[in-house]
Amino acid sequence: MAEDEVPRLRGSQHQQNQRSRGRGAGAHLLLAVAALMLMVACFYAVKTLSLFVSPMLFLAAIFLEVVFLVVFVYAVARALTRPSVMLRSLGESAWTGLESNEYIVRFRTSGSPWVRWLRNRVRTDIPQGLWLTGTVVIAAIPFVNFVSLAITVATHGPLTEVDQRIANLMPTVRTTGETSFFSSVTVLANAQVLIPVVAVAAVVLWWKRQRFLAGAVVATALLQEGLYSAIKQILGRSRPDAALALLVDTTPSFPSGHVMRTVVAYGFIAYLLFKAFRSTAGKSATIACYLLAVQLVAMSRVYLGVHYLSDVWGSMLLGSAVLAAVVGIMEIAARFPVLNHSRHPITPGRILLVAPALGILLAVAAAPLLIHPEGHPAQPRSEPLASLGASSLSRLPVYSETLTGDRMEPASFVFVGTEDQVVNAFESRGWDRADPSTFAATLRALAVGLQGGQYANAPVTPSFMASEPEAIAFQKPTASNSLRQRHHIRIWRSDYSAPDGRPVWEATASFDDGIELAGTAKLPTHHIDPNIDAERAYIINSLGYPDDFVALTGPQMGHNGSGDEFFTDGRAELVLLH
């Protein structure tokens, strides 16, 4: 080969590398834009789903927002490390100009101890420089948020009320299939599964002569175990009421140990697998599977009733802080001889996949042996009322609420009777009992409503009164025989009983006169007729009972959860069922 051809070949190879970097940066920028758009969509979905859709969709939207945030940060970071030729040139030109700026020169040459300390924080040739600074900053962001959340939990802030409403709603939306699925998912983070997974990962790394990594896997698992256990004991938050749970656990609730294990222990293994794969597809699949595991385990703990939403969210924040710190230390150790005066390269090998694969197999096989979901019905509380007059009934919590506690309509009915009498009063007059607001039923109702069809037992939007979801709901179609229009009523059992000992129930009612795109995310839901007193009159006539009004609030106007206006005289029909 001629000597003059060597520079040309090198130049050609350099140009190809530059083009490859440019294409890689462009792809990651597109990924970042897509993740940002999805993250914004999830933000709006969370605000909307908190008002009127299935709680499982609400939880999924929250965790998906976290997933897309992680993908966005990753894509931006990768794009910045693989800039195009133009961006690289612009960056170098900008830095050249800054180097000659008098303020930059003064900063770089200053002998002040504070200035020297700041300069050292951004140096790339020492371990305590930019890498350590980045690690501390990245770990501090979720940790600070965790501390804020822990204070909210300890002081019983507003978020704990949302926690209670979600916990109260869960027993009404569970299905046999979802219970079986989430039982297997939650076992993935049980100690009986995590210990073999960590042990296998350590053995594989030791066999691959990655003894430092093997020790790091075990040490990380032990660190997170001790950390969340200590915080549990310090805060001492009680678990959700056993009557709301499918599993019984008497240990403190905040934060969730299962979620912490998934975020940190499985996260560290996912980090090693990310380093093992060279292809973008392999790295992306690793991130996606890891984030999916975190999301499902977190949802399983809320679904099974052993944790509040803030418990799992706190574990995700604290776990992210720990994982960021551990990963940062590993990256520093791989670049600088800070531990044992030698570098520790991270080359685990894709054979490490056997560890999470083993975890999945053990979870599926061991779930029927370790998890026995069982409902624990609560005994209804009942405080007798001296009478059924306005003064006694004023003790009732008469306003319905959204998931976030915003006030909605006041009660339009006060029923006195057993549950069988309530059900018979409506079903005997042609009313259909609404299905629970499960994931599948909610999606079916959305689809049928948009198509203009009929779903006689469609679920109603979950609402709350004194943090409890409605116990029963009924609906009746109009002459159009379409889900777009319906009469409907939500009924809550109160904690009070009438002088004759029968339970006292409260109810709100409204007429759905069409479909609208409501809420911040503009999701389809029913629009109500603002004259809710007219619906009250329709229902009492439909049931065949005479008017017997009792003043509960007073004339007022307001908005329901999706923002629709209503007005009422504030009176309720007192119905003594027979």
Side-chain angles (χ1 to χ4, degrees):
M1 180 181 295
E3 292 184 2
D4 59 343
E5 292 182 1
V6 174
R8 288 200 300 271
L9 290 174
R10 289 177 177 174
S12 176
Q13 182 64 37
H14 177 71
Q15 292 176 355
Q16 291 178 2
N17 290 338
Q18 294 284 11
R19 286 195 295 269
S20 176
R21 291 193 185 98
R23 288 193 297 269
H28 284 97
L29 283 174
L30 287 175
L31 178 61
V33 171
L36 179 61
M37 294 174 63
L38 291 170
M39 189 169 60
V40 171
C42 282
F43 170 76
Y44 286 119
V46 167
K47 295 187 68 175
T48 303
L49 293 171
S50 68
L51 300 177
F52 54 81
V53 188
S54 164
M56 298 310 295
L57 288 176
F58 171 70
L59 294 176
I62 290 178
F63 295 126
L64 283 175
E65 185 172 0
V66 176
V67 169
F68 293 132
L69 174 62
V70 173
V71 174
F72 171 75
V73 173
Y74 165 74
V76 170
R78 293 290 293 173
L80 292 177
T81 58
R82 302 183 67 181
S84 66
V85 176
M86 181 181 69
L87 291 177
R88 183 185 294 271
S89 176
L90 289 173
E92 291 174 351
S93 298
W95 179 247
T96 301
L98 286 173
E99 281 187 313
S100 60
N101 183 276
E102 60 174 308
Y103 297 102
I104 299 297
V105 171
R106 188 182 306 170
F107 177 80
R108 296 179 63 187
T109 58
S110 173
S112 169
W114 284 105
V115 174
R116 287 201 305 270
W117 184 86
L118 287 174
R119 286 202 303 263
N120 287 336
R121 299 292 69 77
V122 295
R123 290 177 59 181
T124 58
D125 59 337
I126 57 174
Q128 65 270 32
L130 185 60
W131 279 97
L132 181 60
T133 301
T135 298
V136 172
V137 170
I138 294 173
I141 293 173
F143 181 74
V144 169
N145 281 277
F146 168 77
V147 172
S148 176
L149 178 61
I151 293 173
T152 299
V153 169
T155 57
H156 305 286
L159 181 59
T160 59
E161 297 178 7
V162 178
D163 281 341
Q164 190 60 58
R165 292 187 185 97
I166 292 178
N168 291 339
L169 183 59
M170 278 300 159
T172 69
V173 300
R174 294 178 180 131
T175 66
T176 303
E178 289 177 354
T179 298
S180 177
F181 173 75
F182 282 119
S183 295
S184 296
V185 168
T186 206
V187 171
L188 187 66
N190 271 31
Q192 296 93 327
V193 172
L194 184 67
I195 291 175
V197 168
V198 171
V200 167
V203 169
V204 168
L205 292 169
W206 192 277
W207 174 69
K208 293 283 292 182
R209 300 184 182 278
Q210 295 287 316
R211 297 180 179 179
F212 173 72
L213 295 182
V217 168
V218 176
T220 299
L222 294 176
L223 170 66
Q224 60 86 25
E225 202 75 22
L227 182 60
Y228 83 73
S229 298
I231 295 175
K232 275 178 178 286
Q233 297 303 320
I234 292 173
L235 293 181
R237 186 186 196 184
S238 299
R239 300 268 181 171
D241 194 310
L244 306 173
L246 293 177
L247 303 176
V248 177
D249 196 327
T250 58
T251 61
S253 186
F254 183 90
S256 165
H258 280 68
V259 177
M260 185 80 170
R261 290 167 180 166
T262 309
V263 173
V264 179
Y266 283 104
F268 188 63
I269 294 174
Y271 158 72
L272 295 178
L273 286 171
F274 180 88
K275 302 289 287 189
F277 284 104
R278 294 186 177 181
S279 67
T280 301
K283 292 179 180 293
S284 300
T286 300
I287 294 175
C289 291
Y290 165 65
L291 294 176
L292 180 62
V294 172
Q295 175 181 340
L296 291 178
V297 171
M299 292 177 68
S300 75
R301 304 307 289 170
V302 177
Y303 177 90
L304 294 171
V306 288
H307 279 292
Y308 294 109
L309 175 63
S310 58
D311 295 339
V312 302
W313 180 239
S315 291
M316 293 173 73
L317 291 172
L318 181 60
S320 297
V322 172
L323 184 62
V326 171
V327 168
I329 292 172
M330 299 302 297
E331 291 292 331
I332 293 172
R335 287 167 171 78
F336 303 96
V338 293
L339 298 174
N340 300 326
H341 303 289
S342 60
R343 296 179 181 179
H344 299 275
I346 305 173
T347 55
R350 286 176 288 183
I351 192 175
L352 189 61
L353 276 171
V354 300
L358 174 65
I360 295 173
L361 291 175
L362 287 177
V364 174
L369 303 175
L370 299 176
I371 301 293
H372 303 286
E374 183 180 356
H376 305 83
Q379 293 297 324
R381 294 169 294 181
S382 183
E383 182 179 343
L385 295 172
S387 69
L388 294 176
S391 59
S392 292
L393 294 177
S394 65
R395 301 169 63 185
L396 301 176
V398 296
Y399 284 98
S400 59
E401 309 159 341
T402 66
L403 179 62
T404 54
D406 295 329
R407 179 184 285 185
M408 298 194 296
E409 306 99 320
S412 297
F413 290 88
V414 175
F415 295 105
V416 177
T418 65
E419 181 173 349
D420 288 341
Q421 287 177 323
V422 172
V423 173
N424 181 66
F426 282 89
E427 290 186 342
S428 65
R429 294 290 180 153
W431 288 75
D432 297 301
R433 186 167 182 172
D435 289 338
S437 184
T438 62
F439 181 79
T442 301
L443 292 182
R444 179 186 173 190
L446 287 172
V448 173
L450 290 174
Q451 295 170 6
Q454 179 59 280
Y455 177 7
N457 302 102
V460 299
T461 301
S463 293
F464 300 84
M465 188 173 285
S467 296
E468 293 287 344
E470 67 272 2
I472 315 171
F474 293 96
Q475 54 199 356
K476 196 172 191 179
T478 65
S480 67
N481 195 32
S482 168
L483 185 55
R484 293 175 181 269
Q485 289 189 345
R486 62 179 177 179
H487 303 275
H488 72 293
I489 183 171
R490 298 177 178 85
I491 306 174
W492 289 263
R493 176 166 180 165
S494 74
D495 292 337
Y496 297 91
S497 59
D500 64 2
R502 292 191 297 169
V504 173
W505 306 73
E506 300 173 81
T508 61
S510 59
F511 174 64
D512 291 335
D513 58 10
I515 297 291
E516 65 177 348
L517 298 178
T520 308
K522 301 302 179 185
L523 291 180
T525 186
H526 283 100
H527 176 274
I528 69 166
D529 185 315
N531 187 0
I532 60 175
D533 291 347
E535 184 69 1
R536 181 186 65 196
Y538 173 84
I539 293 175
I540 197 69
N541 290 332
S542 170
L543 297 181
Y545 282 86
D547 286 327
D548 185 4
F549 290 111
V550 57
L552 291 184
T553 57
Q556 59 187 281
M557 299 178 64
H559 296 82
N560 70 354
S562 56
D564 298 337
E565 294 183 343
F566 68 83
F567 59 86
T568 176
D569 59 16
R571 297 184 300 170
E573 292 276 12
L574 178 61
V575 183
L576 305 180
L577 299 170
H578 48 71

